[in-house]
Amino acid sequence: MRNLLRHHLFWPVAALVALLVANTVASPSFLAITVRDGHLFGAPIDILRMTAPLLLVALGMTLVIATRGIDLSVGAVVAVSGAVALSYIASSSDPESPVTVLTAIALALVLCLLLGVWNGFLVSVLGIQPIIATLILMTAGRGVAMLITGGMITTVNSAPFKVLGSGFWLGLPVAAVIAFGVFAVVAFVVRRTALGMLLEATGINPAASRLSGVRSKTLTWTVYAAAGLFAGLAGLLISADTMAADANNAGLFIELDAILAVVIGGTALSGGKFNLSGTLVGALVIATLERTVTVVGISPLVTPLFMALVVIAVTLLQSPRMRARLAAATRGPATTTTPPEPQSAARPDSTEVKAR
Amino acid sequence: MTTSAPARASRALKIPTRLDRRYLPVVGTFVVLALMLVVGGSRYDNFVSPAVISNLFINNAHLIVLAVGMTFVILTGGIDLSVGSVLALSTVVTAALLQAGWPPAVVIPLGVGAGTVIGLAHGVMVHYFQVQPFVATLAGMFFARGLCFVIAPESIAIDNASFVSLASWVQIFGGWRMSSGVLIALIVVGIGFLVLHFTRFGRTVYAVGGGEQSALLMGLPVARTKVLAYVVSGTCAGLGGLLFAMYSRSGYSLTGVAMELDAIAAVVIGGTLLTGGTGFVLGSVLGVLVLGLIQTIITFEGTLSSWWTKIVIGVLLLIFVALQRVLSLRRT
Amino acid sequence: MTQQTPSPVVEMTGISVEFPPVKALDGVDLRLRPGEIHALMGENGAGKSTLIKALTGIHSPTAGTILVDGVERRFTGPADARTHGVSTVYQEVNLCENLTVAENIMLGAEPRLLGGLHWQAMRRQAATHLQRMGLSIDPASSLGSHSLAVQQLVAICRATVGDCKVLILDEPTSSLDTDEVAHLFTVMRALRDDGVAILFVSHFLDQVYDISDRMTVLRNGRLVNEFVTADLPAAELVQHMIGRSMDVLEAAEDVAEHVSRPADGTPLLQVVGVGRKGSVQPFDLDLYQGEVVGLAGLLGSGRTELARLLTGADRADAGQTRLAGTPVRLRTPRAAMDLGIAYTSEDRKGEGVVDGLTVRENIVLGLQARRGWMRPLPRKQVDELVASYIQQLGIRPADPEALLRNLSGGNQQKVLLARWLATAPRLLVLDEPTRGIDVGAKAEIQKLVADLAADGMSVVFISAELEEVLRISHRIAVMRDRRKVAEIDGGEATMDQVVDLIAGGGAA
Amino acid sequence: SDAGTAEPGGSGENAGADDGVITLGFSQVGAESGWRAANTKSIQDTLTEDNGFELKFSDAQQKQENQIQAIRSYITQGVDVIAFSPVVETGWDAVLQEAKSAGIPVILTDRAVDSSDDTLYESFIGSDFVKEGEMAGEWVVEQYDGEGYQAVELQGTTGAAPAIDRKEGFASAIEGSDVEIIDSQTGNFTRAEGKTVMEGFLNKHDDIDLVFAHNDDMGLGAIEAIEAAGMKPGEDIKIVTIDAVKDGMQALVDGKINYIVECNPLLGPDLAEVAQKVVAGEEVEKRIVVKDEAFDQAAAEEALPTREY
Ligand SMILES: Nc1ncnc2c1ncn2[C@@H]1O[C@H](COP(=O)(O)OP(=O)(O)OP(=O)(O)O)[C@@H](O)[C@H]1O
Ligand SMILES: Nc1ncnc2c1ncn2[C@@H]1O[C@H](COP(=O)(O)OP(=O)(O)OP(=O)(O)O)[C@@H](O)[C@H]1O
Ligand SMILES: [Mg+2]
Ligand SMILES: [Mg+2]
């Protein structure tokens, strides 16, 4: 019990479970999964599909945050990606052909990769602060997306493209398979190679890393490029979901959701140690939260209040102070007379200094 | 300034007699701002006129106040994402209470105080619970916005006579105009400047941003300072809401969406580092003027479609940041 | 010196501090009397800094009592301690680099004018304090623009401002050279004579013997005993500290004799006219394989800058570098590393430790960076490597998974050294590698350097401790005013000779 | 008020009309939707030089302060007419007063302003959002009253005038019938959110008969959700929306939507006409309600081929 409580994913997972319970109470069949035409259906499957784009964006965001950066432009990149792909499909003579669709996807992904490279250039070469560097693309990117679609919502009918949004593979939604697959691959690469450690070193102490021979600039650059690419992929999933490219609203505020997912997952925004499994849980929490609002039937007027309270609850429970309290409480009175100093490995800047 | 010429003068660091490096980003901002005015003036008629410059201040008075508050928080190494929502909350509270017939003398402190209270909550979360500022204030942002909806989803007009007369007070000097909002904003800037540079609290704000742990080991009151910085920012957001309510004579729950980004951008453009510890309030004011000027240029251009507007804002921002960067790199 | 023993101003008894599972302090006592300089001695990781932090309220002891002026107290933090007259300079310089020197000194006790800060008075007062420390820097300059040594002195200035009954200095001299130390000691003696109790931590035995009246020795978090300095011979002290006899140290004494001059041939690194505007005047330097070249000079003489130019940490704007005869360009640390050149910065906190990573990760960081991210070192190899360095350098705790920030200062330094040794460079540039390292470990490091050189590695060795430089260098390059002024043979050089050169013919 | 009296260059200089070209400053809300884009395009295509206009256009990016700033700027630039679609209903008195003092007439489009002084503007051209909601509700009652329909509502952006008014209109129209709104949540006027919210409704309720969406986009999102759940939109669950953009009309023709109330974005011609009259000093109507049609499937089939947006 004690170890469980101490685990860094305890509270995020607890939040997820609590939300699922709340949903099940409001709608008893919530967790039911049915099989229809060999596909799985049901709210949990919906949630997996809803999580997919957010998970991709949060994945890129985690890596960027590890290097002490932040990427505000992902929402705009999502919009650009959808706009490019759908405009290409819409303007092609044969929207139903897989070749067209693959070309559209490749086009969108390459462009988004370039947008990421652009961000990386501003941050790592010109040395502009990440928040401002990516604010530029956040503003202009949506303009570009609107330019591509002429401000209208571009709609297409293309079965191969629709597969991305509502297709199934091995009974699971294709979008979820793609996102969770990419996530697993990246997590594997990052943790099985030295990439993760080098990223963390760059985030914790850039000067020391540079002197240790870490190619910090290249790494930083790569990470922004990756964030762009993943956002592009997310953009494709989002536009395939409704088969429409909405330059104004696609991916709106997804950067905030992604950052929130990263933070709920226990990665500090100050860079350094990151936690991809936490990000996964964080993304699931946020997607479930969105669903909860509808299922539990919270009035739109208080929805933001409700979101705020959940976020505050999760973050407060995760805070070192609360952890220490709870740890002390679960440890029981018998062991020591004076409560030992809380060890807060979770906060990089606070271990040496006790704030009382 | 030292009293006697020391024997070890040869080892003393040679202080450059030129401008202090710390002021470079601000000077960079100023130079580029001036350049923009010159370029704008040569492109459009009437661009560099007292009326346009006065309007620049009148239209951005609330943002100036937000930026001053944001500067405090960013200097401590934090960030406050809630200011846009808190501003909206303040406008809604003000408008709703005035509509309910409360006197302005009671309503105004309540509107501003709402911001103070939320700021205090942020400070407590950030310092005592060690919630990351981004998250704490993001929660605050949802919270304030939610509260707005609960109080009044629809926009409320303000027609309280004394409030309106306060709001429409204008002083005219030739072509120049100064509204009550601008006057308040300038006073806030002045206070912000004095507090940051001439009080222990102000210097501790810088110290905390320079290194929280160091500041703590130096025996400075880190806790109080950090909490107070968020209180300042919240109060400024509340005051910004008051100014916006005066400016628009209404309260509306959807006001100021994404305005926190404008405030942050202004502060950063003004040369403050997001990592904390370096920056100036006056820089932030320049930052606000830059953003305002970009908007003015867009209006004067008069032919941009919606998307080109966004793209041009992005490009101007880029040119600005790049130029500023080049200027400050050159000199160092 | 005080004859009778006045009652202690600080009395700590039975102090225990735990960082589960580590018991950093176990029932330690410490008594500080007014008007005495009390040395706190012990190996790296013995618990000296922890004891100090327990006193000032940064760590809360799990057991024990603290009496200050006879009243039992648990301070809530440095601020609280300071208001009760306990001023501390912690081991790592903890000041705000973004503020001015004057602010760093005066904040908290700042002069006021009309309720606001009185900047002019603040600068004036700061200047006076600086002068006492022998520093003539501009109080209005920002602290970050000064070297670590100056920052150290500024930190000490800060501690002496205001009403202080107890002054605690945790390794204040580790980055100072003889002159500065002499100044500091003058100030310390003056304070002592005013009745201040001073707690002093240093790994320099001669300094300790020079200044302290009494000492408390810790070993492995336990109290060994309290001694009167004059009654305790150095050899015995070392034995108390490290639990071994002086043999190790004696081994170090002969280091210089063990190594032989390398065979002639093309130098491994040949530097011609390399310099950088505003940093170091163009200099020439040849480094042969298997040779240890020491850099000697005063604070700010440009040793660090020279080292940085040699290793690509800073980019030279003039001159040529040849490695084994072929011209090379050292534009980045990475480029230098690829050529087998490694650099350990003197700024442990800023440019050395990656404090959020573990000991293991910190040790392999350099090697891994050099291999590239795609070729991760096999875990087994990593573990062996790390285990061998932990053992070889005596890193404590010997736990590869400990976070670096939880290590004592000296142990962090050892980890950094291991990082560079692991990359097996051809040329190793060590800037103050022994700073903050205890006597035993220091001797081991010196021996290690000698062994490495014997195996063919070239080493550039910078240390504030001239003795150390003399002992292990084959050749000594002397720096003065950011210029290389002389080069002398290490075997023949004498202390006086080098001191003369450093000071510019005794003109300093 | 004294607010506008010192406007230099503003007053009296609007001699633009004399040379036959009307300079019109238009401040658009933003480009937040396809509807808005069509609205902008209609205005830009109508107020051309060929038609005797010089259009100064600015996009306020959904910010009232930008709009106020743009209007002030038009006053300084001395345009002949100012037109704008207010982001919010309130808060315009001061700046409109300035325009009035400078002698520049103001025309509102699409959304109204909430002001006690209606001399501040010449005319308001736009749809009646409450009416739109009512029309949708009336059709629902007419078709399905007596069948005990359970409806869900996809609201527009919380706090926005169209969302508030359409909700109100619909609710008042179904009052007294046995159509019941069992759930209502915001979909922020977007397809994606329309889809997720609808998915949630489908998870929660087993017996939804009708969806009322405050715009086509959310309705289209709901269609996706209904299809994904294996049901037939338009048959198993009826759908009523507002806007009548092309995609919505197509869905109506395809039988996936049952009824659409139009909200006409093509305000350009009306604006041009009113502007010309105002400049010429003619009397104009204070309120010009744009004619909103409503389409059922047959009407949609007829209208679709000529649909402009
Ligand atoms: N915050 C912490 N968490 C865990 N362990 C710690 C922490 N701080 C210190 N320690 C451990 O406590 C022990 C004593 O450390 P301390 O810093 O007091 O040593 P020291 O005597 O000052 O050594 P040095 O001479 O190297 O500075 C070490 O083993 C260290 O690893
Ligand atoms: N006592 C001092 N007074 C004034 N300035 C100093 C003093 N000591 C160092 N400096 C300044 O600090 C800067 C750093 O010098 P640098 O680090 O190159 O010296 P160094 O020879 O490596 O000495 P060390 O490494 O021992 O500090 C220089 O700009 C120098 O002018
Ligand atoms: Mg120590
Ligand atoms: Mg040095």
Side-chain angles (χ1 to χ4, degrees), chain B residues 297-322:
Chain B
I297 289 176
I298 302 263
T299 319
F300 267 82
E301 189 63 42
T303 52
L304 296 174
S305 61
S306 300
W307 32 96
W308 281 113
T309 302
K310 284 185 192 293
I311 295 175
V312 170
I313 291 179
V315 170
L316 286 177
L317 203 58
L318 171 68
I319 294 176
F320 188 86
V321 175

mmCIF file of all heavy atoms in Angstrom, chain B residues 297-322:
data_model
loop_
_atom_site.group_PDB
_atom_site.id
_atom_site.type_symbol
_atom_site.label_atom_id
_atom_site.label_comp_id
_atom_site.label_asym_id
_atom_site.label_seq_id
_atom_site.Cartn_x
_atom_site.Cartn_y
_atom_site.Cartn_z
ATOM 1 N N ILE B 297 -0.727 48.704 -37.493
ATOM 2 C CA ILE B 297 -0.256 48.557 -38.871
ATOM 3 C C ILE B 297 -1.241 47.738 -39.671
ATOM 4 O O ILE B 297 -1.596 48.083 -40.807
ATOM 5 C CB ILE B 297 1.139 47.885 -38.893
ATOM 6 C CG1 ILE B 297 2.190 48.852 -38.361
ATOM 7 C CG2 ILE B 297 1.491 47.442 -40.308
ATOM 8 C CD1 ILE B 297 3.572 48.266 -38.247
ATOM 9 N N ILE B 298 -1.744 46.661 -39.046
ATOM 10 C CA ILE B 298 -2.708 45.807 -39.741
ATOM 11 C C ILE B 298 -3.943 46.624 -40.132
ATOM 12 O O ILE B 298 -4.447 46.520 -41.237
ATOM 13 C CB ILE B 298 -3.132 44.645 -38.817
ATOM 14 C CG1 ILE B 298 -1.911 43.846 -38.391
ATOM 15 C CG2 ILE B 298 -4.202 43.802 -39.458
ATOM 16 C CD1 ILE B 298 -1.621 42.634 -39.149
ATOM 17 N N THR B 299 -4.421 47.436 -39.206
ATOM 18 C CA THR B 299 -5.613 48.229 -39.507
ATOM 19 C C THR B 299 -5.319 49.238 -40.611
ATOM 20 O O THR B 299 -6.119 49.430 -41.515
ATOM 21 C CB THR B 299 -6.094 48.990 -38.256
ATOM 22 O OG1 THR B 299 -5.973 48.137 -37.148
ATOM 23 C CG2 THR B 299 -7.502 49.448 -38.427
ATOM 24 N N PHE B 300 -4.162 49.863 -40.524
ATOM 25 C CA PHE B 300 -3.837 50.856 -41.546
ATOM 26 C C PHE B 300 -3.673 50.211 -42.914
ATOM 27 O O PHE B 300 -3.991 50.811 -43.931
ATOM 28 C CB PHE B 300 -2.563 51.620 -41.155
ATOM 29 C CG PHE B 300 -2.856 52.879 -40.398
ATOM 30 C CD1 PHE B 300 -3.106 52.857 -39.047
ATOM 31 C CD2 PHE B 300 -2.926 54.100 -41.072
ATOM 32 C CE1 PHE B 300 -3.394 54.006 -38.346
ATOM 33 C CE2 PHE B 300 -3.220 55.267 -40.379
ATOM 34 C CZ PHE B 300 -3.455 55.218 -39.007
ATOM 35 N N GLU B 301 -3.151 49.009 -42.917
ATOM 36 C CA GLU B 301 -2.988 48.308 -44.191
ATOM 37 C C GLU B 301 -4.349 48.177 -44.857
ATOM 38 O O GLU B 301 -4.499 48.449 -46.043
ATOM 39 C CB GLU B 301 -2.345 46.949 -43.934
ATOM 40 C CG GLU B 301 -1.915 46.196 -45.167
ATOM 41 C CD GLU B 301 -0.836 46.897 -45.966
ATOM 42 O OE1 GLU B 301 0.099 47.441 -45.361
ATOM 43 O OE2 GLU B 301 -0.941 46.896 -47.209
ATOM 44 N N GLY B 302 -5.358 47.751 -44.086
ATOM 45 C CA GLY B 302 -6.737 47.846 -44.540
ATOM 46 C C GLY B 302 -7.178 46.887 -45.624
ATOM 47 O O GLY B 302 -8.316 46.900 -46.047
ATOM 48 N N THR B 303 -6.274 46.053 -46.126
ATOM 49 C CA THR B 303 -6.684 45.172 -47.211
ATOM 50 C C THR B 303 -6.412 43.717 -46.872
ATOM 51 O O THR B 303 -6.631 42.847 -47.690
ATOM 52 C CB THR B 303 -5.889 45.493 -48.491
ATOM 53 O OG1 THR B 303 -4.498 45.474 -48.152
ATOM 54 C CG2 THR B 303 -6.260 46.838 -49.035
ATOM 55 N N LEU B 304 -5.919 43.463 -45.679
ATOM 56 C CA LEU B 304 -5.549 42.094 -45.356
ATOM 57 C C LEU B 304 -6.785 41.264 -45.054
ATOM 58 O O LEU B 304 -7.652 41.692 -44.306
ATOM 59 C CB LEU B 304 -4.623 42.077 -44.140
ATOM 60 C CG LEU B 304 -3.279 42.744 -44.331
ATOM 61 C CD1 LEU B 304 -2.523 42.780 -43.016
ATOM 62 C CD2 LEU B 304 -2.477 42.004 -45.372
ATOM 63 N N SER B 305 -6.829 40.078 -45.629
ATOM 64 C CA SER B 305 -7.914 39.187 -45.259
ATOM 65 C C SER B 305 -7.577 38.581 -43.907
ATOM 66 O O SER B 305 -6.470 38.729 -43.408
ATOM 67 C CB SER B 305 -8.068 38.094 -46.305
ATOM 68 O OG SER B 305 -6.882 37.357 -46.365
ATOM 69 N N SER B 306 -8.537 37.878 -43.364
ATOM 70 C CA SER B 306 -8.356 37.384 -42.002
ATOM 71 C C SER B 306 -7.094 36.564 -41.855
ATOM 72 O O SER B 306 -6.348 36.696 -40.896
ATOM 73 C CB SER B 306 -9.549 36.532 -41.606
ATOM 74 O OG SER B 306 -10.694 37.317 -41.667
ATOM 75 N N TRP B 307 -6.857 35.662 -42.810
ATOM 76 C CA TRP B 307 -5.691 34.793 -42.633
ATOM 77 C C TRP B 307 -4.403 35.552 -42.840
ATOM 78 O O TRP B 307 -3.427 35.307 -42.141
ATOM 79 C CB TRP B 307 -5.746 33.553 -43.526
ATOM 80 C CG TRP B 307 -6.428 33.733 -44.831
ATOM 81 C CD1 TRP B 307 -5.864 33.997 -46.022
ATOM 82 C CD2 TRP B 307 -7.824 33.638 -45.063
ATOM 83 N NE1 TRP B 307 -6.811 34.086 -46.985
ATOM 84 C CE2 TRP B 307 -8.029 33.864 -46.428
ATOM 85 C CE3 TRP B 307 -8.929 33.391 -44.236
ATOM 86 C CZ2 TRP B 307 -9.296 33.845 -47.006
ATOM 87 C CZ3 TRP B 307 -10.174 33.378 -44.829
ATOM 88 C CH2 TRP B 307 -10.355 33.608 -46.186
ATOM 89 N N TRP B 308 -4.420 36.493 -43.769
ATOM 90 C CA TRP B 308 -3.193 37.263 -43.933
ATOM 91 C C TRP B 308 -2.892 38.078 -42.680
ATOM 92 O O TRP B 308 -1.755 38.294 -42.330
ATOM 93 C CB TRP B 308 -3.263 38.166 -45.172
ATOM 94 C CG TRP B 308 -2.996 37.376 -46.423
ATOM 95 C CD1 TRP B 308 -3.873 37.100 -47.431
ATOM 96 C CD2 TRP B 308 -1.771 36.722 -46.776
ATOM 97 N NE1 TRP B 308 -3.274 36.310 -48.372
ATOM 98 C CE2 TRP B 308 -1.985 36.068 -48.003
ATOM 99 C CE3 TRP B 308 -0.521 36.617 -46.163
ATOM 100 C CZ2 TRP B 308 -0.987 35.332 -48.649
ATOM 101 C CZ3 TRP B 308 0.470 35.883 -46.800
ATOM 102 C CH2 TRP B 308 0.239 35.251 -48.024
ATOM 103 N N THR B 309 -3.969 38.502 -42.015
ATOM 104 C CA THR B 309 -3.752 39.206 -40.760
ATOM 105 C C THR B 309 -2.929 38.354 -39.808
ATOM 106 O O THR B 309 -1.921 38.790 -39.254
ATOM 107 C CB THR B 309 -5.093 39.534 -40.096
ATOM 108 O OG1 THR B 309 -5.851 40.311 -40.996
ATOM 109 C CG2 THR B 309 -4.895 40.296 -38.813
ATOM 110 N N LYS B 310 -3.353 37.104 -39.638
ATOM 111 C CA LYS B 310 -2.624 36.215 -38.732
ATOM 112 C C LYS B 310 -1.191 36.019 -39.201
ATOM 113 O O LYS B 310 -0.240 36.066 -38.407
ATOM 114 C CB LYS B 310 -3.320 34.860 -38.658
ATOM 115 C CG LYS B 310 -4.576 34.866 -37.818
ATOM 116 C CD LYS B 310 -5.124 33.457 -37.715
ATOM 117 C CE LYS B 310 -6.514 33.397 -37.138
ATOM 118 N NZ LYS B 310 -6.619 33.786 -35.743
ATOM 119 N N ILE B 311 -1.039 35.791 -40.485
ATOM 120 C CA ILE B 311 0.310 35.525 -40.998
ATOM 121 C C ILE B 311 1.186 36.758 -40.814
ATOM 122 O O ILE B 311 2.330 36.662 -40.366
ATOM 123 C CB ILE B 311 0.241 35.099 -42.484
ATOM 124 C CG1 ILE B 311 -0.493 33.762 -42.580
ATOM 125 C CG2 ILE B 311 1.643 34.986 -43.076
ATOM 126 C CD1 ILE B 311 -0.747 33.280 -43.975
ATOM 127 N N VAL B 312 0.624 37.918 -41.120
ATOM 128 C CA VAL B 312 1.421 39.138 -40.988
ATOM 129 C C VAL B 312 1.805 39.396 -39.533
ATOM 130 O O VAL B 312 2.934 39.783 -39.239
ATOM 131 C CB VAL B 312 0.661 40.353 -41.586
ATOM 132 C CG1 VAL B 312 1.351 41.650 -41.232
ATOM 133 C CG2 VAL B 312 0.585 40.206 -43.099
ATOM 134 N N ILE B 313 0.871 39.136 -38.618
ATOM 135 C CA ILE B 313 1.223 39.303 -37.199
ATOM 136 C C ILE B 313 2.392 38.398 -36.852
ATOM 137 O O ILE B 313 3.371 38.815 -36.228
ATOM 138 C CB ILE B 313 0.021 38.975 -36.278
ATOM 139 C CG1 ILE B 313 -1.049 40.042 -36.428
ATOM 140 C CG2 ILE B 313 0.463 38.899 -34.820
ATOM 141 C CD1 ILE B 313 -2.276 39.796 -35.590
ATOM 142 N N GLY B 314 2.303 37.152 -37.318
ATOM 143 C CA GLY B 314 3.388 36.209 -37.056
ATOM 144 C C GLY B 314 4.701 36.702 -37.626
ATOM 145 O O GLY B 314 5.739 36.675 -36.961
ATOM 146 N N VAL B 315 4.642 37.190 -38.869
ATOM 147 C CA VAL B 315 5.875 37.624 -39.536
ATOM 148 C C VAL B 315 6.458 38.854 -38.828
ATOM 149 O O VAL B 315 7.668 38.926 -38.585
ATOM 150 C CB VAL B 315 5.606 37.922 -41.026
ATOM 151 C CG1 VAL B 315 6.805 38.607 -41.656
ATOM 152 C CG2 VAL B 315 5.298 36.627 -41.762
ATOM 153 N N LEU B 316 5.582 39.791 -38.483
ATOM 154 C CA LEU B 316 6.082 40.988 -37.787
ATOM 155 C C LEU B 316 6.723 40.600 -36.453
ATOM 156 O O LEU B 316 7.779 41.099 -36.083
ATOM 157 C CB LEU B 316 4.953 41.988 -37.553
ATOM 158 C CG LEU B 316 4.490 42.747 -38.797
ATOM 159 C CD1 LEU B 316 3.328 43.663 -38.459
ATOM 160 C CD2 LEU B 316 5.626 43.555 -39.391
ATOM 161 N N LEU B 317 6.073 39.673 -35.771
ATOM 162 C CA LEU B 317 6.606 39.205 -34.497
ATOM 163 C C LEU B 317 7.992 38.593 -34.711
ATOM 164 O O LEU B 317 8.938 38.863 -33.971
ATOM 165 C CB LEU B 317 5.654 38.163 -33.919
ATOM 166 C CG LEU B 317 5.682 37.915 -32.426
ATOM 167 C CD1 LEU B 317 5.410 39.199 -31.697
ATOM 168 C CD2 LEU B 317 4.642 36.868 -32.043
ATOM 169 N N LEU B 318 8.083 37.804 -35.767
ATOM 170 C CA LEU B 318 9.357 37.151 -36.068
ATOM 171 C C LEU B 318 10.435 38.185 -36.359
ATOM 172 O O LEU B 318 11.534 38.145 -35.799
ATOM 173 C CB LEU B 318 9.184 36.225 -37.276
ATOM 174 C CG LEU B 318 10.483 35.665 -37.823
ATOM 175 C CD1 LEU B 318 11.091 34.700 -36.827
ATOM 176 C CD2 LEU B 318 10.259 34.971 -39.147
ATOM 177 N N ILE B 319 10.094 39.127 -37.261
ATOM 178 C CA ILE B 319 11.074 40.152 -37.611
ATOM 179 C C ILE B 319 11.520 40.864 -36.349
ATOM 180 O O ILE B 319 12.705 41.090 -36.102
ATOM 181 C CB ILE B 319 10.450 41.178 -38.588
ATOM 182 C CG1 ILE B 319 10.153 40.492 -39.907
ATOM 183 C CG2 ILE B 319 11.374 42.374 -38.787
ATOM 184 C CD1 ILE B 319 9.461 41.383 -40.903
ATOM 185 N N PHE B 320 10.518 41.162 -35.530
ATOM 186 C CA PHE B 320 10.818 41.888 -34.316
ATOM 187 C C PHE B 320 11.771 41.121 -33.408
ATOM 188 O O PHE B 320 12.810 41.609 -33.005
ATOM 189 C CB PHE B 320 9.516 42.184 -33.572
ATOM 190 C CG PHE B 320 9.752 43.064 -32.453
ATOM 191 C CD1 PHE B 320 9.767 44.425 -32.647
ATOM 192 C CD2 PHE B 320 10.072 42.565 -31.220
ATOM 193 C CE1 PHE B 320 10.065 45.258 -31.610
ATOM 194 C CE2 PHE B 320 10.374 43.382 -30.185
ATOM 195 C CZ PHE B 320 10.368 44.741 -30.377
ATOM 196 N N VAL B 321 11.402 39.882 -33.133
ATOM 197 C CA VAL B 321 12.206 39.085 -32.202
ATOM 198 C C VAL B 321 13.599 38.844 -32.774
ATOM 199 O O VAL B 321 14.609 38.933 -32.066
ATOM 200 C CB VAL B 321 11.496 37.745 -31.910
ATOM 201 C CG1 VAL B 321 12.359 36.869 -31.046
ATOM 202 C CG2 VAL B 321 10.177 38.002 -31.243
ATOM 203 N N ALA B 322 13.662 38.572 -34.079
ATOM 204 C CA ALA B 322 14.960 38.297 -34.695
ATOM 205 C C ALA B 322 15.850 39.538 -34.631
ATOM 206 O O ALA B 322 17.020 39.460 -34.259
ATOM 207 C CB ALA B 322 14.765 37.836 -36.131
#
